[in-house]
Amino acid sequence: MNQIKNNWFTESCEMWPGGTFSIQVKEVLHTEKSQYQDICILDTTNFGKVMVLDGIIQCSEKDEFSYQEMISFLPLCCHKNPEKVLIVGGGDGGVAREVVKHPKVKEVVQVEIDAKVIEVSKKYLPFMAVGFDSPKLTLHVGDGFEFMKNHSQEFDVIITDSSDPVGPAVSLFQENYFALMKSALKPNGIVCSQAGTMWNDITLVSNTLKFCRNQFPRASYAYASVPTYPSGQIGFVIGSLDSDIIFDTPSLVLSAEDLKTMNLRYYNSEIHKAAFVLPTFVRNTLA
Amino acid sequence: MNQIKNNWFTESCEMWPGGTFSIQVKEVLHTEKSQYQDICILDTTNFGKVMVLDGIIQCSEKDEFSYQEMISFLPLCCHKNPEKVLIVGGGDGGVAREVVKHPKVKEVVQVEIDAKVIEVSKKYLPFMAVGFDSPKLTLHVGDGFEFMKNHSQEFDVIITDSSDPVGPAVSLFQENYFALMKSALKPNGIVCSQAGTMWNDITLVSNTLKFCRNQFPRASYAYASVPTYPSGQIGFVIGSLDSDIIFDTPSLVLSAEDLKTMNLRYYNSEIHKAAFVLPTFVRNTLA
């Protein structure tokens, strides 16, 4: 890894020039070049285990729960009866871990393009890969885009947990991807996609939201605080076929006891609502 | 500046070990060692002008509005009639710039300990130092702690815009500081202090909130997204002498027209409410 110097790994990406995050490394546990990307696992001094794909931090043991819980529970708790869920991407297992916690979820199908990511996560990130152990889950290795072409009106919720739109995930940020998800949804279905940060990528956010709005009668942007992502924040585009939906009012309200039982460390029913409240400059840009 | 290598400035602080933010520098515009701290102004490639005190980024032209607006408008909009405001610290002028925008504010007193910070901001950060131009403002150079000893029951709102509790600001995070602010407040007065990030400094947040709760009948924690602060987030401890106050419901609600006129790019009345909604792990720790 030429991004490691004197035991510090430095992230670098053309998408957010001029500012960069570095993380102190105890040990490089694994590196390999898969068919799709460079995969690296770091053991760090203060963020636990960290997965890096193509030089970009995907998750750290310290803060991954924020992202995984929010990308899962925002759409699940908007839906009245999310029985069957499709996860596209999410090869570390973190989203699967969260989705199967929802009491109404009966069946989860996951399509991850890179078998190596799954394998490496199982070996080094068991706190996330535990998601693969659920009897509710069927895991396919393949292209989510191609997979959906053969599945019509099948899912209540589709969650796209992708890397950023450079490399293998670029097709997941296009309008035809939203069209494809729409056709794979049951009536009143909901989609939720990783959609970039408001501070660095407002054009990406705006475009992704526009594509979603073109395909779905209702669409919105929500966000969460994740320190190891650029600008310390990441957002989600969420779209629904139910034109009466009120995104910021969850269908399922979780009690303090529920949160404890389900080990939800970031998500709660109040932060669900707050996640849709945008700073003025974002609200104006996305209006 | 030994923190600059190959045109990248790297922040470093014992308060958040193992992870660090770096920013690409076009030019070092100014460095000096004042009586209190090292002061540095950078011109950067993507964040505009940046002020660094004792090696820590205080504000960047790109995102400073988020912090300045929130630390000012959260307490001001909670108070029914914030006519007289004290600002402790805030030597860059950004908080003064925001406070004087509030329609009910008649008089602002500011006490900044380091005259050099004011001088440097006036020269290099005019977009912030514009706050010093208001006829509503009286600016004192001195110790805010000492200043308040001679001012009893005088202010409606006290805003403490300090650096982190290492160096000159350490006394502003102690319980006797909250006791002193309490004595300087009029009945139903409100205080708001910079209080660290929930991800890196939950013990600091928890202690500061405890000190505030010991002195004020009502106290809470709120936060904002600020990419150039560690973990991309910063919080505020807010306390009120009015035991009937509901912090998350602003007394003054701003219209879209108000936001435009007042040039509020982050704060709005909905984000006021959302700022008090905490992730589950923070809520549990601060309960």
Side-chain angles (χ1 to χ4, degrees), chain A residues 20 24 26 28-30 39 41 49 61 72 76 94 123 127 152 173 187 229 234 236 239 259 269 277:
Chain A
T20 188
Q24 195 173 8
K26 280 203 288 198
V28 180
L29 297 176
H30 183 86
I39 303 173
I41 304 287
K49 307 288 189 296
E61 195 169 352
S72 303
L76 291 174
K123 184 163 181 188
F127 53 94
S152 178
F173 289 77
Y229 287 154
I234 198 156
F236 315 101
L259 298 176
S269 301
V277 178

Side-chain angles (χ1 to χ4, degrees), chain A residues 17-24 46 62 199-200 225 227 264-268 270-271 277-281 283, chain B residues 17-24 46 62 199-200 225 227 264-268 270-271 277-281 283:
Chain A
T20 188
F21 183 65
S22 302
I23 202 161
Q24 195 173 8
N46 294 72
K62 180 178 172 179
W199 288 101
N200 291 349
S225 167
L264 291 173
R265 293 179 279 166
Y266 191 96
Y267 182 88
N268 55 58
E270 294 72 34
I271 218 157
V277 178
L278 305 178
T280 312
F281 80 99
R283 197 162 78 175
Chain B
T20 189
F21 183 65
S22 302
I23 202 160
Q24 195 174 8
N46 294 74
K62 179 177 173 180
W199 288 101
N200 292 348
S225 167
L264 290 173
R265 292 179 280 166
Y266 190 98
Y267 182 88
N268 55 59
E270 293 72 33
I271 218 157
V277 178
L278 305 178
T280 312
F281 80 99
R283 197 162 79 174

